[in-house]
Amino acid sequence: MKIVFILIFYSIYSFANVINCNEYEGNAKNIIGQSPPVNIFLHSLYETKFPNKISKKDKRFSKIPSIEVLAKNGVELVLLYNSQSNFENLAKKLKKVNIDACYLKLHSIYDYIDAYKTVGKIINKQKRAQEVSSYIKKELKFLKNITKNIKDKVTIYYAKGDNGLVSSCEKSAHTEVFDLIKAKNVVECGTLEKRRVTLNLENLLLLNPEIIVTDNKRFYNKVFKDSKYSFLQAVKNKRVYLVPKKPLNYIDSPPSFFKILGSYWVGKKVYKKEFEEVNFKDKKTEFERILLNKE
């Protein structure tokens, strides 16, 4: 009994400095995200236009600077990405310089529906938050409706790295786009579902996906020329596709609300019948207008 009490006490104490953002009761004008996914999310909420290409060097979308810099710039709140336990020490350090912290769940695109409302309330952008939240909810409902009758799921592989042998497991935030269109990610990892994995060529040949998508231009340029990939049915059938990355990767790197656009892009490649009536150009225009503030 004593051990149970100690464990309960420890769990409450250990998370004392990190709360869910929907429990944050204050308002903050100067906030920043701990990592790129959160800062990309914030940028869309502030109704600021996105650049034509998001650079990793762009400080608006990068990881947070030092605590000293945050304090100097008058940051009031830091939004931590997904995890409680990983950021307890950071939250304690921020508290010492009067900066609050809360964690924001953005693992799934479905999390964004409530995340926009939560942060919109904190920064007094409720109207904007409702607009974006409603748009994402609408598109997810539309995707679910047009894929509801798919029974024979097409197998798909997300190739990363120059040799295409790095990938992410099923149920990962990095491959959620495949779930949204009811395609089957061939990389199944069980309890390792959130991890990125490295395969060898034999593994890939055994998985033999019907479709390969990749964000690596070097791999894409050689996959049809290098004979070692020629036994893959995706290569034989010319069903290897290069993911668009302007202004950001449509699938991941980092995972973001671009999954909406990525779902339509992949869907048009994978399920031509179900996505036949989807006008990708129109979907992209609406997406850019609402989420990227593009006129």
Side-chain angles (χ1 to χ4, degrees), residues 30-71:
N30 193 352
I31 71 175
I32 191 172
Q34 167 266 336
S35 62
V38 190
N39 284 318
I40 290 165
F41 161 87
L42 276 174
H43 200 76
S44 66
L45 192 51
Y46 275 113
E47 300 178 81
T48 306
K49 288 186 178 181
F50 276 73
N52 291 328
K53 175 69 175 176
I54 295 177
S55 168
K56 291 182 179 179
K57 296 180 181 180
D58 194 326
K59 293 180 180 180
R60 293 174 296 175
F61 307 105
S62 61
K63 293 182 179 180
I64 57 171
S66 66
I67 293 176
E68 291 75 16
V69 171
L70 294 178

Side-chain angles (χ1 to χ4, degrees), residues 107-113 136-137 139-148 150 153 156 171-185 250-251 256-267 270-271 274-275:
H107 178 80
S108 167
I109 186 61
Y110 284 92
D111 295 328
Y112 281 71
I113 296 171
I136 291 176
K137 189 175 182 179
E139 294 304 319
L140 290 174
K141 184 179 180 180
F142 181 80
L143 281 165
K144 190 173 183 179
N145 185 56
I146 65 174
T147 59
K148 65 183 179 182
I150 294 174
K153 294 184 177 182
I156 193 167
K171 298 181 183 179
S172 165
H174 294 268
T175 57
E176 187 183 17
V177 163
F178 304 155
D179 294 327
L180 294 175
I181 65 165
K182 288 192 177 179
K184 179 178 175 57
N185 183 359
Y250 282 16
I251 294 178
S256 72
F257 53 77
F258 270 82
K259 292 176 184 180
I260 293 291
L261 197 57
S263 295
Y264 289 118
W265 178 80
V266 179
V270 177
Y271 296 116
E274 285 77 9
F275 283 80

Side-chain angles (χ1 to χ4, degrees), residues 157 163-166 197-207:
Y157 173 74
N163 293 314
L165 296 176
V166 177
V197 295
T198 300
L199 293 74
N200 56 43
L201 186 59
E202 184 180 358
N203 295 146
L204 184 54
L205 290 172
L206 288 171
L207 293 172

